[in-house]
Amino acid sequence: MSKQDIFRMCVQNLMRRKSRTFLTVLGVLIGCCSIVITVSLGIGMKESQDKLLAQMGDLTIITVNAPQGGRGKTKLDDALVKSLRNLPGVEAVTPKQTLEAEDIRLVTGTGKRYVSDWAVVVGLDTDAMEKMGYQLISGSTVKRSGDVIAGQYLAYNFKDTLRPEGRNMIDRWGGELDMGDTERNIPDPYFNPLDQTYTLEANVQGTKLSLPIRSVGVSKEDYSKGSETSDGIIMSLSDLQKLLEKVPGAKKRRTYDSVLVKVTDISVVERVETDIKGMGYNTESMESIRKPMEKEAQQKQMMLGGLGAISLFVAALGITNTMIMSISERTREIGIMKALGCYVTDIRIMFLSEAGAIGLIGGVIGCIISFCASVTINLVSLGPSLENLLPAMFGGGDVTRVSVIPPWLLLFAVVFSVLIGLGSGYYPANKAVQIPALEAIKSE
């Protein structure tokens, strides 16, 4: 028998008992939908968790701290920074040092008109800021001595000394803010923090220090990296250390408050953390939160997928039952085919094709229905409107979907349905080829 003959007979036999074929396909369809929908809910839950963790901080950043406040042999120094840069999987490293002072003031404007009575001043390896994930909303990175990066909302901390007390600051928290548009009603500060010249005044151990600085960039607020991205100043480590060296009796300080390590991928965070802890240092990262959440999501996915798989295996019993009934009805036909010289392999392939076709049809239709159901669930969650149709289907941006169906899940569902069909039809197909030709011809 040619492939065309097998295909034609497969279609004829499925159409011979339309009601039975429909009910069997329906069973596969329901099982396929159960698997796709339940697994998609689990994937959607994991996507929500990943976005929640991303809002909490960069998942590939490890903060290294010295044990016991830095006392002992394990110090956060340049030797450690060099060692960390040589670890496999590490993309970038920067020491971090905060200016510790009794009071810090920033002054700017003509005649020292604008004054901020507090500020967070942090020194970093400014050459590594881009790799570390620091983002700028305007300007450029530090290029020369005296250049700094201003926090996104630093300008709102300044008072206008020419205005009366109580009305000399801009309240960026005032006014009603619309959901999804937190910037629209925020008033402008007294001045643009970009390309602004400041005078940094600090009182360190009784010594008054003064340093002229110029902001060449404005950082995007990111509290996972520190409040300096919002209300502070980021300068180069060399500038900060030169400032501290002006304190009488101060030694050239080459130890840091902490060291930030960025790895190439989230999958290597745990290994790099283990290596750093083996060197005698304490570490902090989002891995301690992400790992349990990921494990919980996987367990729920397996549970939901298992429930869906039960439905599909029940459908497999229906396919087996349908094929066995088909054999009993077509015993004489099988005997005639054998008597005419049909190969046993062709008969087996014919029955397996019918079972596989049932699985394929049920799987394809099930995937289509599952995708439509997933989009409907997401539309209800996001709000039924045409604007939310594409986000409900493909996600993107800040959209959090309840149900997520990646292409591999649809392909898996179809292939799994076909395999279920072939597996269910294997026993009936073998039973069909084992019927003696003479006995089959005599059958009524």
Side-chain angles (χ1 to χ4, degrees):
M1 295 176 64
S2 64
K3 293 180 179 179
Q4 291 79 4
D5 293 334
I6 294 176
F7 176 77
R8 185 177 65 256
M9 292 189 67
C10 175
V11 173
Q12 290 176 351
N13 292 327
L14 290 176
M15 297 300 294
R16 183 182 301 176
R17 296 287 187 268
K18 296 180 181 179
S19 299
R20 188 167 64 196
T21 301
F22 171 76
L23 293 175
T24 308
V25 170
L26 183 62
V28 178
L29 185 154
I30 294 173
C32 180
C33 287
S34 299
I35 285 185
V36 174
I37 292 297
T38 52
V39 172
S40 73
L41 293 175
I43 296 174
M45 180 175 58
K46 186 177 183 303
E47 184 182 84
S48 300
Q49 290 179 351
D50 290 343
K51 288 188 176 181
L52 176 62
L53 287 172
Q55 292 174 356
M56 296 171 64
D58 192 335
L59 302 181
T60 60
I61 294 286
I62 302 171
T63 303
V64 183
N65 300 307
Q68 302 176 355
R71 294 188 295 272
K73 295 181 179 180
T74 51
K75 295 183 180 296
L76 303 179
D77 52 17
D78 292 331
L80 171 66
V81 173
K82 184 177 180 180
S83 299
L84 293 176
R85 285 178 177 147
N86 293 328
L87 289 177
V90 172
E91 182 178 359
V93 178
T94 176
K96 184 175 181 180
Q97 186 173 342
T98 303
L99 176 61
E100 297 177 359
E102 285 75 15
D103 60 79
I104 299 175
R105 295 175 76 239
L106 288 173
V107 181
T108 189
T110 305
K112 298 184 177 181
R113 178 176 177 176
Y114 304 109
V115 178
S116 174
D117 292 327
W118 67 277
V120 179
V121 180
V122 169
L124 296 173
D125 180 0
T126 51
D127 293 334
M129 284 183 63
E130 184 176 353
K131 287 185 177 180
M132 294 300 300
Y134 286 86
Q135 298 182 26
L136 300 181
I137 58 176
S138 60
S140 60
T141 56
V142 173
K143 301 294 184 183
R144 59 188 177 182
S145 179
D147 289 350
V148 299
I149 303 295
Q152 183 173 354
Y153 301 111
L154 175 69
Y156 290 95
N157 295 339
F158 283 81
K159 296 184 293 187
D160 186 349
T161 56
L162 299 183
R163 294 175 182 266
E165 192 69 27
R167 290 187 296 170
N168 58 351
M169 294 185 71
I170 301 295
D171 182 13
R172 72 181 176 97
W173 302 107
E176 295 183 1
L177 302 179
D178 296 337
M179 292 297 293
D181 191 9
T182 57
E183 300 287 336
R184 190 165 63 88
N185 292 330
I186 296 179
D188 293 330
Y190 289 128
F191 57 87
N192 185 352
L194 182 64
D195 293 328
Q196 190 76 21
T197 300
Y198 305 86
T199 299
L200 171 63
E201 299 175 353
N203 184 3
V204 181
Q205 299 177 9
T207 303
K208 293 185 178 180
L209 304 175
S210 180
L211 179 68
I213 55 177
R214 176 175 171 267
S215 59
V216 294
V218 178
S219 66
K220 183 178 180 181
E221 183 182 41
D222 185 352
Y223 274 104
S224 67
K225 292 182 172 61
S227 59
E228 63 273 10
T229 59
S230 176
D231 302 305
I233 292 287
I234 301 173
M235 62 170 56
S236 67
L237 271 170
S238 58
D239 283 354
L240 182 57
Q241 288 169 350
K242 287 178 183 177
L243 180 66
L244 292 174
E245 287 172 5
K246 295 179 181 180
V247 178
K251 298 179 181 179
K252 291 185 177 181
R253 185 176 178 180
R254 293 300 179 184
T255 59
Y256 309 109
D257 299 332
S258 61
V259 178
L260 302 182
V261 178
K262 184 175 179 64
V263 298
T264 54
D265 190 77
I266 193 173
S267 60
V268 300
V269 171
E270 185 176 6
R271 177 176 57 78
V272 174
E273 266 199 287
T274 302
D275 292 341
I276 297 173
K277 288 178 180 178
M279 298 164 64
Y281 296 90
N282 296 328
T283 63
E284 298 175 8
S285 73
M286 300 300 295
E287 188 72 5
S288 58
I289 301 175
R290 186 192 70 85
K291 205 71 175 178
M293 292 179 67
E294 186 181 62
K295 185 176 181 181
E296 181 184 359
Q298 289 176 347
Q299 289 175 345
K300 289 182 178 179
Q301 277 183 304
M302 291 181 64
M303 181 183 68
L304 293 171
L307 293 175
I310 291 174
S311 301
L312 198 54
F313 281 115
V314 171
L317 297 178
I319 296 176
T320 304
N321 180 57
T322 297
M323 298 310 299
I324 290 176
M325 291 179 63
S326 178
I327 291 170
S328 63
E329 293 174 353
R330 294 155 58 190
T331 303
R332 184 179 180 83
E333 177 185 329
I334 294 170
I336 294 174
M337 291 173 63
K338 284 187 174 183
L340 293 174
C342 182
Y343 292 110
V344 171
T345 303
D346 290 338
I347 298 174
R348 181 183 286 111
I349 290 175
M350 183 180 66
F351 281 95
L352 286 176
S353 299
E354 293 177 22
I358 292 174
L360 177 63
I361 295 170
V364 171
I365 299 176
C367 286
I368 295 173
I369 294 176
S370 298
F371 184 78
C372 294
S374 175
V375 173
T376 303
I377 292 171
N378 292 329
L379 272 177
V380 172
S381 175
L382 299 174
S385 66
L386 289 176
E387 295 179 355
N388 291 330
L389 181 58
L390 288 178
M393 295 171 64
F394 307 109
D398 296 329
V399 175
T400 301
R401 293 178 291 172
V402 177
S403 174
V404 179
I405 302 181
W408 65 262
L409 180 57
L410 297 176
L411 180 62
F412 167 79
V414 173
V415 173
F416 190 59
S417 298
V418 173
L419 292 177
I420 286 291
L422 293 174
S424 303
Y426 185 76
Y427 168 72
N430 275 346
K431 183 179 179 182
V433 299
Q434 291 172 2
I435 300 175
L438 185 59
E439 181 181 335
I441 293 174
K442 292 181 179 180
S443 176
E444 294 294 337

